[in-house]
Structure formats: C-alpha cells, structure tokens
Amino acid sequence: MPQASRRTVIGVTAGALAGLAAAGPSALAAGLGRAASADGHRPPATDLKPFDEVYRGRRIQGAPTGTAGHHGAHGGHGGQAHDFGYRVTVDGEELHVMRNADGSWISVVNHYETYAEPRALARAAVVELQGAALVPLALA
Amino acid sequence: MTVRKNQADLTRAEKRRFVAALLELKRSGRYDEFVDIHNGFIMGDTDHGERVGHRSPSFLPWHRRFLIDFERRLQEVDPSVALPYWDWTVDRTPTASLWAADFLGGTGRTGDGKVMDGAFAETSGSWSINIRVDQRPFLRRALGSGRRGLPTRAEVDAVLAMPVYDASPWNSASSGFRNNLEGWRGADLHNRVHVWVGGQMTTGVSPNDPVFWLHHAFVDKLWADWQARHPRSSYLPVEPTRNVVALNDTMRPWNDVTPADMLDHTPYYTYDG
C-alpha cells in the first residue's frame, strides 16, 4: 500500500482529527508535497511561475512542486493526492491551497472565493490574515 | 416535532434559548467537533478526487445530515430548540435583527475584525476560536465584505428553476441546480454568502461562526423548495460513479446514511412555511 496520503488522513472519522490549532508543524511535511495531482485535465501547475515578494509586510512565496502528474494517486479511495502542483507560503508557513476544475485557486482562508492564480490567492490571504500568523498546517 | 423557523420570526425567548444551547455545546467541547469535521472535509474534497461534503452532488445531503446531527446536540441541551434559518434574500443588511446583540452580535471592528458585542464576542469569555487556521482566537466578521452583495430573490428563483439536480463531471465545473446553488458557477448563492459575512465564515473553519448553521439551514430549505418545484427530478448520479457519492452510496463520516435517506427532510423536521 502506498504511503498514507493526506486524503487518507482526512478520511478517518472526523471527530478523531487533531485540530489544526493543536497540530504540530512537523506533520506538515508528511502530508503535503508528496503525491501527484490527480488532475489530468488542466494545464499542469508546474507551468505556473514561482513568485517571491513582500506584500503588505508579509513575505509570500509560491513555486511549482514539480510533482504534479508524475506518478500515482489518480483518484480512488484513499489515494487522492493533495498536491495541486504548487506550494504557497506566508512568512514561511504553508498556506493550504486547492485548484478548481476550471484552473482557478482557493485557499483555506479564502475557501469560497476563487482566484485566477496563486499570487493573487496569496495576496488575498495576507489581507485576510491582517498580520496574524498561519497555524501550522497539519491534520495528524 | 422540530420546526425550523425563519430567524426573523423568533421570539426573544427562542433566541435566548438558542444562544444558550450554543454556548453550552461550546463549553462542553462538542461544538468544536463539528468545526473540525467540516474543516476536514472541506480540505479533503477535491474536484478530481474523492469528494463528499463539498463541490459534489452530496453537498446537499451531507450538509442536511450534518445539520441534523448538530440540531440533535442542541436538543440534548434544550429540547425546545430548533435550528432557525436565515433568508439572506430578505434580511440582507448588517442592521438586520439577526446581527443584534441579543442574537448573533454584529460585524467586526475595523483593524482586526473582532466582533465586539453579543454572546459570541471575545469579551463574553464564552466563545474562543479553538479550531482555527491562523493564530487569532476570537470571532471575526466583516459583514458586507466581498465584491458583491448578498444574492437576490430573483437570483435564487433562477437557480430554483433549474430542473436537473447535478451533472457530470459532478464537481465545481458542473451545470445544474446543485452547483449553481453551491455557487462555483453562475450567480453564486451559497459561496457568496460565506464571503459576505467575512471572518471565519470565509475559511474552512466556517462553523466557528454560529451563522453557519442559519445559512446552511436556508440552503437546505432551498433544496426542499427545489424538490417541491420539480417533483419529477431527483438526486443524481443514481449509478455508481468514481469519487462521487451516488444515490445509494453511504456518506462519510457516518457510513450508514445515503443521499437517498436524506431526500425527505420531514421525518426529521419541518419548515415554518
């Protein structure tokens, strides 16, 4: 069996999930940036350019992960990847992002409004955060 | 029998009891379990992977069951309580009674978005934000934020007129009633309301704001209204479909309830009108 993906972790009884606020930063690496994107229909996120800038006093960075579409995880129960081929950080802390079927992006702090590309998404997160730090992203 | 009422029609006593039940669930820790469940699903549901709670046909039955669970928890505290719904096509400004200090409290202050009045304000000491995506432990709102106002009745009616429940590819790109109601396409109903409220409501941990339940109770009512308008239409897909909850598949996290079980809400509650 492949390594437990982030999707698998999320799939356990939700009440057992460790809260985001309670989770430790070390779990981040276990869940993200590993498996391939299951998206075979959109232009790969690896074609998107990286960015690195200071926006309203926060350092935002984004870069392709280089893994999208390379291996495995094309759906199926428990096998869904959570790497959309692009990684975004705010002051070094990972911002959970997701790509929609139409190629637009959302993040965990702007989850009901789409953005055309990751830099706009990162800037929107900075506005929403009003200076607050992200909680280290982890679910187990 | 549980009757879900328009929040604008609640008596003072009904508001007081609803708020008190919320505070008790919060105090006991049960409230935050619901926030946690929701966030887990919203981060896990993806357009090209397994999807259950959002961006998929089961968005509506999943949230129906989620609200039934929550309402039962409230009723364990106070059996007289039912979830009210917020008709945001009517009560569409920050001055609506919904946002008064005797109910949910108002918008957040300039600068940090902190809600300053009502039982859910940080100053009440009863509503800490524990399941969160950033370090802020207080309820925030920015009522009226977002590029557009709340959906109008005409926009709702146009979506209710759509005769097909959902369509392939069964995700945020779909045509049909479900996705137009959810808001990933078209006029954008449900999603836009989350954005309008602002604060935690724009995030994956949106149930941190008690208005989450009133918003989703109205979305749920719109599903019932759609069923009444289209008696020959029903949940789709019926046939097993990869990554998607078909009519007779069970839904996580319960694993013992199907969309078919959720089509009729009347065994659980009725609406006031």
Side-chain angles (χ1 to χ4, degrees):
Chain A
M1 180 179 167
Q3 68 172 73
S5 71
R6 182 181 187 80
R7 190 71 188 79
T8 307
V9 172
I10 290 168
V12 302
T13 304
L17 292 172
L20 283 182
S26 62
L28 171 64
L32 283 173
R34 289 293 188 275
S37 168
D39 165 29
H41 309 287
R42 302 176 296 248
T46 45
D47 288 353
L48 293 170
K49 290 184 170 57
F51 65 87
D52 184 348
E53 69 179 28
V54 175
Y55 181 72
R56 298 196 183 189
R58 310 289 297 271
R59 187 172 187 190
I60 54 174
Q61 296 167 283
T65 58
T67 54
H70 284 209
H71 57 85
H74 279 259
H77 289 278
Q80 170 56 34
H82 232 261
D83 181 355
F84 290 88
Y86 203 91
R87 186 173 187 269
V88 175
T89 60
V90 178
D91 290 339
E93 205 68 71
E94 176 127 13
L95 177 70
H96 183 267
V97 302
M98 185 180 290
R99 200 172 199 204
N100 298 312
D102 67 358
S104 64
W105 296 82
I106 57 173
S107 82
V108 74
V109 295
N110 294 96
H111 217 288
Y112 301 91
E113 188 169 23
T114 61
Y115 293 84
E117 42 86 23
R119 186 198 302 250
L121 187 72
R123 288 176 172 177
V126 167
V127 171
E128 172 62 24
L129 287 167
Q130 295 174 312
L134 286 168
V135 167
L137 176 61
L139 285 165
Chain B
M1 184 62 198
T2 299
V3 179
R4 294 188 181 174
K5 299 179 182 175
N6 188 318
Q7 59 80 26
D9 297 330
L10 295 185
T11 65
R12 274 186 204 174
E14 286 170 331
K15 291 180 187 179
R16 192 164 56 239
R17 298 182 81 145
F18 178 64
V19 169
L22 288 168
L23 295 177
E24 173 54 22
L25 284 194
K26 185 70 166 180
R27 190 203 59 75
S28 70
R30 290 192 162 158
Y31 191 96
D32 286 347
E33 293 174 8
F34 286 86
V35 184
D36 210 5
I37 289 169
H38 186 269
N39 191 51
F41 275 85
I42 209 165
M43 293 175 71
D45 296 324
T46 61
D47 273 340
H48 295 284
E50 198 179 348
R51 46 198 185 275
V52 180
H54 306 85
R55 57 180 66 238
S56 61
S58 46
F59 168 70
L60 290 169
W62 190 93
H63 280 84
R64 175 164 284 176
R65 176 55 194 262
F66 191 56
L67 264 63
I68 289 169
D69 277 5
F70 186 74
E71 190 170 55
R72 284 173 174 167
R73 290 292 193 198
L74 288 173
Q75 291 173 341
E76 288 171 10
V77 175
D78 183 341
S80 77
V81 169
L83 283 180
Y85 63 86
W86 169 32
D87 181 347
W88 24 255
T89 70
V90 173
D91 297 301
R92 46 191 301 108
T93 71
T95 58
S97 60
L98 172 65
W99 308 111
D102 70 344
F103 202 9
L104 300 191
T107 194
R109 69 182 179 187
T110 304
D112 63 4
K114 187 185 292 187
V115 170
M116 299 301 290
D117 66 343
F120 309 100
E122 183 186 42
T123 48
S124 78
S126 305
W127 201 259
S128 59
I129 304 300
N130 304 312
I131 307 299
R132 56 194 194 231
V133 297
D134 62 61
Q135 303 289 357
R136 291 170 288 183
F138 51 86
L139 182 65
R140 293 177 294 112
R141 292 189 188 122
L143 301 182
S145 62
R147 293 179 283 240
R148 294 181 294 170
L150 289 166
T152 65
R153 187 69 226 182
E155 288 172 321
V156 167
D157 286 341
V159 172
L160 289 178
M162 297 177 176
V164 178
Y165 177 77
D166 206 344
S168 176
W170 318 109
N171 63 17
S172 74
S174 292
S175 61
F177 168 69
R178 186 276 309 168
N179 196 35
N180 277 271
L181 175 58
E182 189 172 359
W184 299 111
R185 119 175 332 213
D188 181 356
L189 303 183
H190 152 268
N191 282 351
R192 203 203 310 182
V193 176
H194 277 274
V195 175
W196 186 90
V197 174
Q200 279 87 6
M201 271 289 277
T202 70
T203 75
V205 293
S206 47
N208 273 308
D209 191 327
V211 80
F212 173 91
W213 309 104
L214 284 73
H215 172 35
H216 271 279
F218 185 58
V219 171
D220 184 86
K221 182 175 185 298
L222 292 177
W223 184 24
D225 293 345
W226 177 85
Q227 290 174 308
R229 289 195 197 193
H230 303 280
R232 293 184 181 181
S233 300
S234 191
Y235 184 91
L236 295 171
V238 174
E239 299 301 321
T241 303
R242 195 178 78 154
N243 289 328
V244 172
V245 182
L247 179 65
N248 294 302
D249 293 339
T250 57
M251 295 185 286
R252 289 183 297 110
W254 308 283
N255 299 320
D256 63 355
V257 61
T258 66
D261 297 330
M262 287 288 106
L263 298 182
D264 179 7
H265 64 280
T266 59
Y268 305 97
Y269 53 88
T270 57
Y271 284 109
D272 58 355

